Amino acid sequence: MRADRLVAALLVLQARGRVTAAELADELEVSVATARRDLEALSMAGIPVYPQSGRGGGWQLVGGARTDLSGLNADEAQALFLLLGPTRGAHPQVRSALRKLLRALPESFRNQAEAAADAVVVDPAGWGDRSRPATAYLAALQKAVVGRHRVELTYAGRGGMPSTRRIDPWGLVVKNDAWYLVAGTDAGRRTFRLDRIGGAVLLDEPAERPADLDLEQVWAEVVGEVEERRGDLVAELQVRAGGVGMLRRTFGRHAEIGDPVDTEWVGARVAGANADVLARRLASFGGAVRVIAPPTVRARLAEIGAEILAVHTVEASDRADR
């Protein structure tokens, strides 16, 4: 898992001071390309790890070999735990490594590093819509979550009209490359899409955050509420074996994979708000899915196919001109 590899890479650098990607790859039993990507990830996250050119170059942890993390400053420590925190629950060894790293930090900014480790949740299952990139406010919101700052947020809701409100940021979630902010408001818990945020000003006011907050559990509740609204109609279908992963990513928890039909096809069930929504999502699979029922989804999928065919059919006269 990447989190424990990053921890291991940092500890190797502390012990040796400087390593090449090949040496690190041999130490961690990964490819040279993977070791290089891990070193680059540490460097891009703000950890003082830099490539050294020239004879005997490699990668160096600035400050020389160390046996603890006391050489990291507060921003660097936060960057490290923001990088590692999203996968902290994936394996007991990862959690153990993070606890050891946390204890090695200077006490003066240990709390902020711990807050950074709890600031982000990664949810790999998409909701079937287009991925939305992070906005310019991601870094500011990370700072607000870690530092427990109240934020004045400018946000465009479903109606499209922006409004300004004060919120208490609880944490950030990246769901299949789309970013969300979970926050407390006067109306209770709310979730904000980062691509709809038009401004984020950190206020000199402490944010209120439930003492026993479990961000992963809160996000699971959010997902449950959203998917309950989106899963009114169920479609029975067959999907080619190679498309099972894409089906899971597209429909998230609303995809149920069944038994193989034969060597090529696998049975499945997916849910959506209505026939049109289901058909539009399934159309992206082309011939990799066969809808068995209900007839409304089959009919709408056929209509979408006819529309695509009408728009993209090249007439014989057009082909002759080319």
Side-chain angles (χ1 to χ4, degrees):
M1 296 179 186
R2 194 179 190 216
D4 51 3
R5 285 205 322 270
L6 291 171
V7 172
L10 185 57
L11 295 177
V12 170
L13 280 165
Q14 290 172 353
R16 299 187 184 180
R18 178 185 297 182
V19 295
T20 65
E23 290 170 342
L24 183 63
D26 183 63
E27 182 77 25
L28 302 184
E29 298 182 349
V30 296
S31 69
V32 174
T34 296
R36 186 176 295 111
R37 284 195 297 269
D38 288 347
L39 289 165
E40 290 171 350
L42 288 169
S43 180
M44 291 175 63
I47 311 305
V49 175
Y50 299 98
Q52 304 295 314
S53 58
R55 183 177 180 182
W59 291 75
Q60 181 174 355
L61 182 64
V62 173
R66 294 193 291 269
T67 57
D68 58 39
L69 298 179
S70 59
L72 298 182
N73 63 36
D75 290 340
E76 292 164 351
Q78 288 179 34
L80 173 64
F81 279 83
L82 279 168
L83 184 66
L84 300 179
T87 49
R88 65 192 182 280
H91 194 281
Q93 291 178 342
V94 177
R95 295 195 298 270
S96 175
L98 287 174
R99 284 195 298 269
K100 291 176 182 178
L101 285 174
L102 192 64
R103 288 196 296 269
L105 292 173
E107 189 173 356
S108 58
F109 52 83
R110 192 178 298 163
N111 288 341
Q112 285 190 316
E114 189 172 17
D118 291 327
V120 180
V121 165
V122 174
D123 183 351
W127 267 322
D129 45 5
R130 179 175 55 85
S131 295
R132 295 173 290 272
T135 71
Y137 302 105
L138 176 59
L141 292 171
Q142 285 179 335
K143 183 177 180 180
V145 172
V146 173
R148 305 290 194 260
H149 294 286
R150 184 164 287 176
V151 175
E152 187 173 83
L153 202 69
T154 301
Y155 188 74
R158 293 181 180 177
M161 293 298 295
S163 62
T164 301
R165 62 196 80 184
R166 293 193 174 193
I167 59 99
D168 295 315
W170 292 356
L172 291 156
V173 178
V174 56
K175 184 173 178 65
N176 194 28
D177 295 330
W179 283 89
Y180 298 86
L181 170 69
V182 180
T185 72
D186 291 340
R189 185 202 71 207
R190 291 292 183 271
T191 303
F192 302 94
R193 279 174 28 182
L194 263 66
D195 65 325
R196 289 182 177 175
I197 294 177
V201 179
L202 275 64
L203 304 176
D204 191 20
E205 301 176 19
E208 295 182 1
R209 191 174 190 266
D212 57 348
L213 178 70
D214 184 334
L215 186 59
E216 292 184 356
Q217 178 60 40
V218 170
W219 182 247
E221 294 171 2
V222 172
V223 170
E225 293 167 2
V226 171
E227 294 193 345
E228 184 177 353
R229 296 194 298 269
R230 296 173 63 144
D232 295 334
L233 182 64
V234 176
E236 301 280 348
L237 54 90
Q238 295 174 359
V239 58
R240 292 188 189 274
V244 169
M246 182 178 174
L247 194 74
R248 284 198 175 102
R249 290 191 296 273
T250 301
F251 288 92
R253 298 182 184 182
H254 281 182
E256 180 183 335
I257 308 303
D259 298 326
V261 177
D262 52 34
T263 57
E264 186 178 3
W265 296 90
V266 177
R269 291 161 53 94
V270 296
N274 52 54
D276 183 65
V277 169
L278 280 172
R280 289 183 181 277
R281 293 181 185 173
L282 291 171
S284 65
F285 287 79
V289 297
R290 299 190 298 211
V291 177
I292 308 302
T296 52
V297 177
R298 289 173 55 88
R300 181 63 186 124
L301 197 56
E303 290 174 358
I304 293 171
E307 293 168 3
I308 294 173
L309 185 63
V311 171
H312 293 89
T313 297
V314 179
E315 300 293 341
S317 58
D318 292 336
R319 291 196 296 269
D321 294 337
R322 295 180 180 178

